[in-house]
C-alpha cells in the first residue's frame, strides 16, 4: 500500500465508493449462455477478479435490442429475462467487496456476425459503409432514434433492477453513439446532424433518458475514444469537446477514455493493443480529458503493471486505470499489489492470443499464461494432492514449466529436467522476433512460479531411460517440445537453405536476397521477413495461405501487413514450396497450380512448421510408470496449448 498510495486509494464515482483505482473495463468474454444470459461460468470468472481485489468491475457490452446483437455471443439487457443473471452477478461481485457496473450497447453498423449466419439490417446515423466489415447500414429514422434511446434507458433500468450499481453507455470505438458524433459518418440534415452540438444530441438524449429512468442513486457513465487513431475517424479535439459538453451538462458520473475504433483496421488495433504498443501509451488521452472535466476519468490501454498505473494516477493523467488484460492474466494482481508482493504478479504480455484471440473465434476467453482463466470452476482453487508423489518433468518449455509449478503447488515433489542451459524452450526464440521481446515474459513469469512452488530444476540434463530409472519417480510428464520440420526440398543440395531457428539463433550466414518460405502463416514467417528486411536484405515472403499470417488474430496480422509494406517485403500468397537451386526458389500457386519463380536469390529460409520430439515415450516403453505427454511433443501447436495441457495434467496427478 505504501508503494501504491494513489492506486490503492478509494475513488468516489457518483454515489458509489470504489475501494481502489484498479478497473476491469467491459470486455466481451464469450461466456454468455442461452442466447445472451449471464450464467455460472461468467459469474465465476468475474467473481475471481473481485476476489482478487479489483476495485471496479464493468460487465461486458449488453445488447439493448435485437439489432444490437453484433456477435452471437453477446449478453443482452433487452428484456427482463436478463435480470436474474445480473442479480446473481451483483451478489457475487459485490459480495467480494468490488463495485459492479455494466455496459449497455448498440454497435450501429459495426456488425461482426450473427447467430444464424445471415446478415441483418444494421443501423447508423447515415448510410455510410464501415470500412472494416464492409457493412452498409440504413440511416435511422427519427422514430428509430427515439425507440433506440428508450431501449438504452430500459436496458439501464434492468441493470439497476438486477442490483448492478451503474450503467456505462458505450460511445467509444466507433459504436452507434460515436457514429452520430462523427462528421464523416453522420450526414444528417435534421437535429441529429450537422453542428457538433447536433451530432452529440443522440448521446445526450440517451444519457438524459437513462437518468430519468434510473434516478439519482445509480451511476451513469460513458465510454469514449480519446482518439480513433485511424486518420478518418474522430479526432482528439472532437472527443474532448464531447466529454466537456457531457460533463458541463451534468450528464455523466464518470468518463472512461480509450483509444481506437472498430470501423477501421488501424483503429481496431488500438481496441486491444498488442505488445507492439508501449505500456501505458494511452495515458495522454486520459490527461486531455481529465484536465477539462470535473468527473472521475478512467484511462485504459496496455496498463499491465501496478507501477505504471500508480504513475498515471499520481501524475494526474487519470483517476483510475483500466487494467483489463492484467486481470485476465492475473486476477490476484490487486491483492498482490496491496500485500507488497508486486514481484509475484504475472504480467500480461499483450500477445492477444487467448483473450481477444478467442473472442474473435467465438470461444470463451482465457489467457495463454493462466489457462485457469475462463475455467475457474475446474481449477480455482487448486485442490491439494491426496498424497505427495515424486514427479519428473522432462523439458523446461512453457508446458513443462506450467506442469511443474502446478504439481509442486499441489504438494508433489517435482524435479524438472531441461536439456538446454536455460528454461523457456521455444519461447526463447519467439522473443527474438522483431517487436516480440515481451513474449519472453512468459518465461520470466513461469520461472518465478516454479521457484515459489519449490520445484527442483536441473538444467543441461537430457532425460533418458537411465535417468528415469535412477530417479524412480511415481510419474513422468514428457514435455520435450518440437524442432523445425526439415522436409526434403528438391535441389536443396545446390541452394543455400537455412531454417528459421538457425537464423534467429544467429547460426546462419544469410545472403542479401532472401526468400522466406512460410508454411504455418503465424508469427515466424512474417517475423523473419521483418528481421531480415531490417538487416538490409531484399526479402520475398512466400506463404502457403490466402493472406499473410492468416493464423494470427486480426490485429497482429494487420500489424504484420503494415510492417511488410513499410519494409518493402515482396509477398507471394498461396505459395507452396517446390524446389531450389543455386540462385532460384521454385514455388507453385497452391490453387492455380502454376509456377511462381523467384530468381536472384542467395538464401532460402524455411519456416515450414515443427516436428514433435517424442522419442522419450518409446524409450520409456515397458517401464510400468505413469506417463503423460503435453504440448508440442504431442503435436506442434502454440504455447497456449502447452501451458493448458501442463495445467490439466498437473491438476490430475
Ligand atoms: C520463433 C518462434 C515463435 C513463436 N511464437 C509464438 C507465439 O508468439 N505464441 C505462441 O503461443 N507460440 C509461439 N511459438 C510456439 C511455442 O513457442 C511453442 O508451441 C511452445 O513453446 C511449446 O511448448 P512446449 O513446452 O511443448 O515445448 P518447447 O517450448 O519446445 O520446450 C521443450 C523443451 O524440452 C527440452 N527437451 C527436449 N528433449 C528433452 C529431454 N529429453 N530432456 C530434457 N529436456 C528436453 C528442450 O530443450 C526444450 O527446452 C513460437 C515458436 C517459435 C519457434
Ligand atoms: C476479450 C476482450 C473483449 C473486449 N470487449 C469489450 C467490450 O465488450 N466493451 C468494451 O468497451 N471494450 C471491450 N474490450 C476492450 C477492453 O475493455 C480494454 O479497453 C482493452 O482490453 C484494453 O485494455 P487492457 O490493455 O487493459 O487490456 C475488450 C477487450 C478484450 C481483451
Ligand atoms: S492471452 Fe496474452 S494478451 Fe491475453 S491476457 Fe493473457 S498474456 Fe495478456
Amino acid at each position: 500500500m505504501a508503494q501504491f498510495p494513489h492506486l490503492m486509494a478509494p475513488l468516489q464515482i457518483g454515489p458509489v465508493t470504489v475501494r481502489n483505482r484498479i478497473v476491469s473495463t467491459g470486455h466481451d468474454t464469450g461466456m454468455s449462455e442461452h442466447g445472451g444470459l449471464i450464467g455460472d461460468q461468467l459469474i465465476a470468472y468475474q467473481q475471481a477478479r473481485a476476489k482478487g481485489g479489483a476495485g471496479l468491475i464493468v460487465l461486458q457490452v449488453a445488447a439493448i435490442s435485437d439489432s444490437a446483437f453484433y456477435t452471437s455471443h453477446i449478453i443482452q439487457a433487452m428484456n427482463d429475462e436478463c435480470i436474474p443473471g445480473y442479480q446473481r452477478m451483483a451478489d457475487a461481485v459485490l459480495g467480494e467487496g468490488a463495485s459492479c457496473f455494466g455496459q449497455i450497447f448498440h454497435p450501429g453498423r459495426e456488425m461482426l456476425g450473427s447467430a444464424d449466419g445471415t446478415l441483418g439490417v444494421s443501423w447508423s446515423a447515415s448510410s455510410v459503409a464501415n470500412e472494416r466489415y464492409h457493412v452498409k447500414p440504413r440511416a435511422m429514422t427519427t422514430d428509430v432514434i427515439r425507440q433506440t434511446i428508450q431501449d438504452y434507458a430500459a436496458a439501464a433500468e434492468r441493470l439497476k433492477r438486477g442490483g448492478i450499481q451503474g450503467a456505462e453507455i458505450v460511445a467509444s470505438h466507433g459504436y452507434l453513439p460515436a457514429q452520430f458524433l462523427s462528421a464523416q459518418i453522420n450526414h444528417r440534415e435534421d437535429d441529429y446532424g450537422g453542428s457538433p452540438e447536433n451530432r452529440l444530441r443522440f448521446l445526450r438524449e440517451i444519457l438524459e433518458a437513462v437518468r430519468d429512468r434510473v434516478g439519482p442513486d445509480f451511476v451513469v457513465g460513458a465510454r469514449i475514444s480519446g482518439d480513433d487513431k485511424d486518420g478518418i475517424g474522430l479526432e482528439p479535439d472532437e472527443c474532448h469537446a464531447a466529454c466537456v459538453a457531457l460533463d458541463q451538462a451534468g450528464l455523466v458520473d464518470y468518463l472512461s477514455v480509450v483509444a481506437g475504433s472498430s470501423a477501421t483496421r488501424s483503429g481496431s488495433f488500438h481496441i486491444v493493443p498488442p505488445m507492439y504498443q508501449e505500456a501505458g501509451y494511452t495515458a495522454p488521452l486520459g490527461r486531455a480529458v481529465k484536465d477539462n472535466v470535473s468527473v472521475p476519468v478512467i484511462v485504459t490501454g496496455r496498463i499491465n503493471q501496478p507501477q505504471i498505473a500508480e504513475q498515471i494516477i499520481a501524475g494526474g493523467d487519470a483517476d483510475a486505470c483500466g487494467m483489463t488484460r492484467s486481470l485476465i492474466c492475473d486476477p490476484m494482481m490487486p491483492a498482490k499489489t496491496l500485500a507488497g508482493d508486486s514481484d509475484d504478479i504475472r504480467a500480461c504480455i499483450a500477445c492477444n492470443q487467448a483473450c481477444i484471440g478467442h473472442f474473435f473465434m467465438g470461444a470463451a476467453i482465457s489467457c495463454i499464461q493462466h489457462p485457469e482463466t475462463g475455467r475457474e470452476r475446474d481449477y480455482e482453487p487448486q485442490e491439494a494432492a491426496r498424497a505427495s508423489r515424486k514427479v519428473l518433468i522432462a523439458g523446461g518449455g512453457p508446458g513443462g514449466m506450467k506442469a511443474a509449478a502446478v504439481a509442486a503447488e499441489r504438494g508433489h515433489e517435482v524435479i524438472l529436467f531441461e536439456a538446454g542451459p536455460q528454461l523457456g524452450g521455444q519461447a526463447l526464440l519467439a522473443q527474438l522476433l522483431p517487436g516480440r521481446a515481451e513474449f519472453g515474459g512468459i518465461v520470466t513469469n513461469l520461472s518465478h512460479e516454479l521457484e515459489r512452488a519449490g520445484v527442483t530444476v536441473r538444467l543441461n540434463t537430457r532425460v533418458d531411460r537411465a535417468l528415469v530409472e535412477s530417479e524412480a519417480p511415481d510419474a513422468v510428464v514428457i514435455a520435450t517440445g518440437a524442432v523445425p520440420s526439415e522436409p526434403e526440398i528438391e535441389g536443396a543440395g545446390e541452394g543455400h537453405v537455412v531454417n528459421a531457428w538457425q537464423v534467429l539463433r544467429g547460426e546462419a550466414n544469410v545472403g542479401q536476397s532472401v526468400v522466406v518460405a512460410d508454411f504455418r502463416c503465424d508469427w515466424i514467417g512474417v517475423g523473419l521477413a521483418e528481421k531480415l528486411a531490417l538487416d538490409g536484405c531484399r526479402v520475398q515472403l512466400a506463404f502457403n495461405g490466402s493472406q499473410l499470417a492468416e493464423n494470427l488474430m486480426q490485429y497482429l496480422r494487420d500489424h504484420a501487413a503494415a510492417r511488410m509494406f513499410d519494409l518493402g517485403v515482396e509477398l507471394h500468397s498461396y505459395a507452396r514450396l517446390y524446389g531450389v537451386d543455386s540462385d532460384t526458389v521454385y514455388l507453385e500457386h497452391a490453387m492455380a497450380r502454376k509456377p511462381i519463380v523467384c530468381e536472384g536469390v542467395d538464401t532460402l529460409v524455411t519456416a515450414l512448421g515443427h516436428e514433435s520430439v517424442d522419442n522419450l515415450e518409446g524409450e520409456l516403453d515397458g517401464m510400468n510408470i505413469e506417463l503423460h505427454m503435453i504440448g508440442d511433443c504431442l503435436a506442434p501447436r502454440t504455447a497456449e496449448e502447452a501451458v493448458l495441457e501442463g495445467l490439466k495434467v498437473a491438476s490430475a496427478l
Side-chain angles (χ1 to χ4, degrees), residues 51 346 370-373 375-386 402-412 449 643-653:
K51 197 173 186 167
R346 183 186 311 106
H370 187 63
E372 290 88 339
T373 290
R375 301 180 176 94
E376 285 78 11
R377 290 172 301 162
D378 295 331
Y379 298 111
E380 285 184 344
Q382 268 291 354
E383 280 179 20
R386 276 199 300 275
K402 179 70 178 181
V406 174
E409 245 170 58
R410 296 187 55 235
H412 294 301
E449 284 167 35
V643 174
L644 172 61
E645 288 162 10
L647 168 68
K648 284 185 174 170
V649 139
S651 303
L653 282 169

Side-chain angles (χ1 to χ4, degrees), residues 272-275 324-330 346-357 366-370 373 439 445 640:
V272 187
M275 64 178 79
T324 303
R325 281 172 296 171
S326 309
L327 288 159
I328 294 175
C329 184
D330 191 346
R346 183 186 311 106
C348 163
I349 55 174
C351 67
N352 276 14
Q353 289 181 226
C355 51
I356 191 68
S366 185
C367 173
I368 69 163
Q369 299 195 75
H370 187 63
T373 290
F439 196 80
N445 289 332
E640 178 182 353

